[in-house]
């Protein structure tokens, strides 16, 4: 593998470029973005080959990483395919859902003779834009790979090795299982953080009393609303069950408080504590 092209000049795209430059110095790394301002910011951050010229970015790439919003991926890939041959190129993405890009991109990938293998590095921030990118963002982070089209193991290994070189711990699963798990461990927590902000800060002046508990549990609510609307909408089927379970637990807690059931409340909190204490630490939270 000699060259990668990252299509999307946001936080993740910029962080991938910086991390690859630092950790795989022999690899040629290009970053493409639509807006001149974003590309100027990327160059200022030290990304050596940043451009608004899509053909320049993708020509000669062994791996193309779609780092745009999921809804924009198809149009970008179609233009990339028109600009240069994508035969035998590995196409991947960093979307927080995997069924949508898999199904949306399939026909373009097949017509181009390329290979689609999904990626989801579990690293991010409530900050946005290439100016917030970080070369160590992926250190210790999980990265989920999906190979629903059953491409050869050596092709999956190429992509796995790339993410591992950036510091990720990689796991292989299906797109269906990925979206089901993300609904619970990533997308539902964002909803809860947002609801926590709406309820806890109903009277904004109360925020002056907020400690780390409020700040930690609602941090991800500062994420980009438009981006998260797209994620939640595209994974709505998998989100239905965990949202209903959340409502059930809240009703159970309310009933126990009404009944002054110390034993019941303690049992619920102890169960939650045990599960949380068993959570393995990693370098970055899921956003």
């Amino acid at each position: 593998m000699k060259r990668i092209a990252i299509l999307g000049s946001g936080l993740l795209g910029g962080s991938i470029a910086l991390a690859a430059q630092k950790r795989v110095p022999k690899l040629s790394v290009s970053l493409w973005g639509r807006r001149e301002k974003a590309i100027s910011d990327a160059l200022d951050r030290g990304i050596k080959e940043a451009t608004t010229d899509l053909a320049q970015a993708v020509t000669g790439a062994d791996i193309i990483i779609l780092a745009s919003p999921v809804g924009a991926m198809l149009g970008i890939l179609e233009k990339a395919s028109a600009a240069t041959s994508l035969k035998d190129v590995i196409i991947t993405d960093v979307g927080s859902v995997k069924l949508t890009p898999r199904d949306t991109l399939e026909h373009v990938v097949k017509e181009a003779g390329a290979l689609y293998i999904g990626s989801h590095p579990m690293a991010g921030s409530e900050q946005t834009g290439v100016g917030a990118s970080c070369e160590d963002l992926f250190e210790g982070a999980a990265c989920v790979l999906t190979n629903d089209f059953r491409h050869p193991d050596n092709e999956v290994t190429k992509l796995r090795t790339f993410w591992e070189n950036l510091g990720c711990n990689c796991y292989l699963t299906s797109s269906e299982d990925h979206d089901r798990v993300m609904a619970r461990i990533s997308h539902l927590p964002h909803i809860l953080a947002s609801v926590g902000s709406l309820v806890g800060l109903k009277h904004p002046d109360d925020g002056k009393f907020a400690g780390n508990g409020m700040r930690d549990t609602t941090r991800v609510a500062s994420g980009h609303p438009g981006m998260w609307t797209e994620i939640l909408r595209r994974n709505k089927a998998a989100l239905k069950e965990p949202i209903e379970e959340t409502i059930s637990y809240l009703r159970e807690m309310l009933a126990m408080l009404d009944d002054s059931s110390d034993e019941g409340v303690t049992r619920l909190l102890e169960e939650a504590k045990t599960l949380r204490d068993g959570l393995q630490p990693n370098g970055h939270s899921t956003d």
Side-chain angles (χ1 to χ4, degrees), residues 118-265:
S119 300
H120 182 198
M122 303 289 288
S125 169
E126 67 277 11
Q127 300 179 53
T128 59
V130 70
S133 55
C134 172
E135 63 185 14
D136 296 322
L137 186 68
F138 306 101
E139 183 63 40
C143 182
V144 182
L145 302 180
T146 60
N147 184 27
D148 295 350
F149 299 118
R150 299 183 180 181
H151 296 304
D153 289 346
N154 65 302
E155 301 294 345
V156 179
T157 298
K158 289 179 187 177
L159 188 59
R160 176 192 292 269
T161 300
F162 171 76
W163 288 116
E164 289 176 345
N165 283 338
L166 300 197
C168 291
N169 301 310
C170 292
Y171 304 90
L172 185 65
T173 188
S174 67
S175 294
E176 288 83 359
D177 281 347
H178 169 277
D179 286 7
R180 175 186 58 79
V181 172
M182 289 306 111
R184 290 183 176 273
I185 69 163
S186 176
H187 306 163
L188 178 69
H190 192 92
I191 292 172
L192 296 178
S194 298
V195 172
S197 294
L198 291 169
V199 175
L201 300 174
K202 179 179 180 179
H203 307 291
D205 286 348
D206 293 349
K208 62 178 175 288
F209 302 113
N212 287 339
M214 180 67 180
R215 298 179 190 279
D216 290 347
T217 56
T218 61
R219 179 184 61 82
V220 297
S222 292
H224 191 285
M227 179 189 76
W228 274 100
T229 296
E230 181 184 39
I231 291 170
L232 299 178
R233 181 169 56 82
R234 292 186 183 279
N235 206 24
K236 62 183 180 181
L239 270 167
K240 182 178 179 180
E241 184 176 78
I243 289 175
E244 289 176 343
E245 288 178 21
T246 300
I247 294 169
S248 177
Y249 272 118
L250 290 173
R251 292 189 183 282
E252 183 180 357
M253 176 65 80
L254 185 60
M256 288 187 295
L257 291 173
D258 283 343
D259 293 341
S260 299
S261 175
D262 291 356
E263 181 180 344
V265 172

Side-chain angles (χ1 to χ4, degrees), residues 261-274:
S261 175
D262 291 356
E263 181 180 344
V265 172
T266 301
R267 174 186 53 78
L268 200 69
L269 296 178
E270 284 179 344
E271 182 181 350
K273 182 181 187 306
T274 298

Side-chain angles (χ1 to χ4, degrees), residues 122-123 139-142 169 279-286:
M122 303 289 288
E139 183 63 40
N169 301 310
L279 188 64
Q280 295 297 313
N282 63 30
H284 300 280
S285 60
T286 303

